[in-house]
Amino acid sequence: MSTTTETNPTASAFGAVAQPASWTCPFCSLLCDGFSVRAGAALELTGSDCPRARAGLAAFDGLGRFTPWVDGASASLDAALDAAAERLAAARLPLFGGLATDVQGMRALYRLANVGGAILDHAHGEAMMPALRMLQDRGQMFTTLAEIRNRADLIVCVGTDAVSSHPEFFRRCAPADGRGEGGRVVFLAAGEGTPTAADIPWASAVEAVCPAGDLFDAVAMLAALVDGRRVAADASSELSALADAMRSARYCVIVWEPARLPLHGALVGETLLRLLMNLNRKTRAGAFTLGGNDGAQTANGAMSWLSGLPLRSRVGPQGVDHDPLQYASARLLEEGAVDLLLWVASFTPGLPPPETALPRIVLGHPALAAACAQAGTVFIPVATPGINADGHLLRADSVVSLPLRAVRDDGLPTVAAVARALVARLAKVGAAKEGAQ
């Protein structure tokens, strides 16, 4: 069966597409759409100096030919798909990892997982688990970027500088037009590199609170102070002042980043949730969770829509089984519990597949080719949503799915197209086996 490569219908003879009125950046979960890309020999970011966006665009410079590889030899797309389907058909328990793709890519991968009985886990699965465990055990009280812009008069960043992984965060939190001066920003135990007033010019004040002890101690003490409980006489005066400010704020927002939490970070998340519940008895407060880069938020959302369960689940003969500990990618590979790895990394070359002796199928950014041109690996270069393919991604606050528009056409297939082609090939293999019986 031949495979038709999906291309953008607005492509010109020179491989560039019509410049979109606005561009949605796919390189972090904020999905910023306030700047654009000039598509020429190189992709040039305009309207922002975001280092994450610039690095993502630079990864497309000078890539040359886009060639699939099968066991270290270049191959046609059809030959690579045939080899991948053959290995999937032979696998008893495959792991679908990485999952850095958009909504349609994840939908198609889920259907492919149903054919082979696969386990699905994102490359950032370990960072996602504290927030997921908190949601499962206690629920959540979240806010959105719009609410921060329109209402927040106090933003407390707990254990994170907020900009290392999401450089445009505070620009996105700037007060909405007509609101006037923005609120106060406080960093609690954020560590080195904490932004200053010069970095957040709209804030009425920017402060750093660095109490003694670890993050668990700081959050527990703050929660006790907000709740009005008795604490040790030597409790930090800075924490006491912060607790008073949180109680008196009209709309307090707690920003936390699960990926930066220490081991057992779900306990921090649960303590913050209890703190928020106490605040909401007399005022308004919400949490904003920073995470979900490389399509993690999208993959988890699509998995939940389609199956009723989040990632770190297996689609097996008995239905869908969720186990956030047993189905962690690193654990499965280390214990040899799976017999094939299908790795998806369509956004950047910064998510190479794990080294393993298992057969690997990699649907990846073209710049991953060199790392995947080896025996035991089938590599298929795929398009990146928002660069050379259209698509949709779920934003960090989980309230909106934003459309992505291609800025050029490189003739690469999408993850969804490759997954659908594999499903079709596996169906033929299954039919042939039934006919032989």
Side-chain angles (χ1 to χ4, degrees), residues 12 37 41 55-57 73 75 77 83 85 88 97 104 129 146 202 302 321 345 350 367 374 391 420:
S12 74
V37 168
L57 293 172
L77 177 57
L88 279 168
Q104 292 304 318
M129 284 306 106
W202 53 260
D321 174 44
Q374 55 189 263
R420 289 195 295 265

Side-chain angles (χ1 to χ4, degrees), residues 249-271:
R250 295 187 305 275
Y251 196 103
C252 175
V253 172
I254 294 177
V255 178
W256 67 302
E257 188 173 355
R260 293 171 68 95
L261 296 179
L263 188 64
H264 305 302
L267 298 175
V268 172
E270 291 186 6
T271 303

Side-chain angles (χ1 to χ4, degrees), residues 20-41:
S22 62
W23 178 67
T24 301
C25 175
F27 298 119
C28 94
S29 59
L30 294 180
L31 302 182
C32 298
D33 55 3
F35 37 86
S36 59
V37 168
R38 184 177 294 112

Side-chain angles (χ1 to χ4, degrees), residues 220-283:
M221 181 63 71
L222 180 62
L225 290 165
V226 166
D227 196 27
R229 285 178 276 157
R230 289 186 177 183
V231 298
D234 60 348
S236 167
S237 59
E238 288 183 308
L239 282 178
S240 297
L242 177 57
D244 291 340
M246 295 174 77
R247 284 198 300 265
S248 61
R250 295 187 305 275
Y251 196 103
C252 175
V253 172
I254 294 177
V255 178
W256 67 302
E257 188 173 355
R260 293 171 68 95
L261 296 179
L263 188 64
H264 305 302
L267 298 175
V268 172
E270 291 186 6
T271 303
L272 292 175
L273 177 62
R274 289 197 297 271
L275 189 158
L276 285 168
M277 294 172 68
N278 286 331
L279 284 175
N280 275 286
R281 290 171 180 162
K282 294 184 178 180
T283 184

